[in-house]
Amino acid sequence: MFSKYLKSGFVTLLVMTALFSANSAIAQTTIDEDKLDSVNGMRWGGNGLPFDKVVEIKDALVNTPLGKVVIDRHGEDPQGVLFKEPFASPSPGKFVVVSLWGSKIEGCFVKLVVQSAPTDGKAELTEISPKMVELGIGEQILQLTRSPNMKVRGFQGNYTYTVYENNRNVQRSSTWYMSDTLFDISPDAANLLRTAPAKEIKARLTFDNGDTKIIPIGSSNVKRWQDSFGFNSSCSAPK
């Protein structure tokens, strides 16, 4: 069951807003390393993170550059009619993938945060926990496997939403779920990402239960990989 993977006191996830202050605005080009730590979860849609740019990772104590990252996100809002707002807030059927691509002093990394608000309010960790990512780069398929050095983290939180029924607005409550997964990146894999042609790439996520989902990664962010993976192109820690 999903619950056995959950960290106790998940209330902390529901107050993550306070952890992402105005200093994490979209316009910034730097971010403190601590603000990339999702040990207590992440706001729905990753709101507050700097998307679609190369972001320098810094040490919050001494302002020292530690690496670079590009943060991308994909969202689905099947209930949207005139407007689709997958990142605004959770509601039944919404699905979001936040992906982080980059390198730091100690090596290269790819991290995927999957967030799901099932229509029935129920999900198992195996349904949202990707064990493999496949990327179509040129004529090649790059496979990234889950890192054995970090256990997949699972979270859940309650939310409320409004529906229009019988000529009036009715407020309901449900549950949304999140997984946090780190993937191994070898120097060869990082080099392939760093030199990928600057065009949209499709990524296939394979989950623990065998389901798959294909998501796009925009050409602009693919181009930015050259910079983010170039911070430590060897993907090795200094000796």
Side-chain angles (χ1 to χ4, degrees):
M1 296 297 290
F2 189 95
S3 57
K4 72 179 181 179
Y5 294 93
L6 300 180
K7 299 178 73 67
S8 62
F10 186 73
V11 175
T12 52
L13 178 57
L14 304 182
V15 295
M16 284 298 289
T17 301
L19 300 183
F20 292 94
S21 64
N23 292 330
S24 294
I26 297 300
Q28 74 176 32
T29 56
T30 65
I31 191 169
D32 292 341
E33 183 181 36
D34 294 331
K35 292 183 179 179
L36 292 177
D37 186 355
S38 51
V39 67
N40 290 317
M42 179 184 289
R43 291 177 59 190
W44 179 266
N47 287 324
L49 293 175
F51 292 97
D52 304 326
K53 58 186 60 162
V54 178
V55 181
E56 187 175 62
I57 305 169
K58 289 195 172 183
D59 188 301
L61 299 180
V62 294
N63 205 33
T64 302
L66 299 177
K68 290 184 177 181
V69 63
V70 172
I71 309 176
D72 188 90
R73 64 179 174 179
H74 166 76
E76 300 174 4
D77 179 11
Q79 303 292 338
V81 182
L82 294 178
F83 302 99
K84 293 184 180 295
E85 298 181 309
F87 310 121
S89 59
S91 64
K94 287 187 179 181
F95 179 88
V96 170
V97 178
V98 178
S99 56
L100 298 89
W101 311 77
S103 57
K104 296 169 59 179
I105 291 174
E106 61 267 31
C108 300
F109 65 93
V110 169
K111 182 164 76 167
L112 294 187
V113 172
V114 176
Q115 299 175 329
S116 176
T119 54
D120 62 359
K122 299 177 182 179
E124 298 288 338
L125 186 61
T126 57
E127 299 176 89
I128 61 169
S129 176
K131 63 181 180 181
M132 181 173 64
V133 179
E134 296 172 285
L135 299 155
I137 302 177
E139 300 299 319
Q140 302 183 65
I141 295 179
L142 174 63
Q143 288 188 351
L144 305 179
T145 56
R146 195 158 60 200
S147 173
N149 298 321
M150 190 186 97
K151 183 179 178 180
V152 178
R153 293 194 290 254
F155 307 87
Q156 71 181 62
N158 297 324
Y159 68 95
T160 59
Y161 62 101
T162 301
V163 296
Y164 188 72
E165 289 183 349
N166 301 320
N167 297 318
R168 65 189 182 94
N169 289 326
V170 178
Q171 194 172 64
R172 293 181 175 175
S173 61
S174 190
T175 305
W176 66 277
Y177 301 83
M178 170 181 148
S179 69
D180 181 359
T181 311
L182 186 69
F183 291 83
D184 278 336
I185 302 294
S186 67
D188 288 342
N191 184 62
L192 191 58
L193 294 172
R194 186 169 56 84
T195 58
K199 61 181 183 179
E200 181 178 283
I201 283 179
K202 291 182 179 179
R204 180 189 292 117
L205 279 57
T206 300
F207 298 93
D208 276 333
N209 68 347
D211 288 347
T212 61
K213 180 177 282 289
I214 293 179
I215 64 171
I217 300 171
S219 59
S220 295
N221 279 341
V222 172
K223 184 177 181 179
R224 293 181 180 109
W225 288 348
Q226 180 176 355
D227 198 353
S228 66
F229 285 105
F231 181 88
N232 183 357
S233 58
S234 69
C235 294
S236 59
K239 298 181 180 179

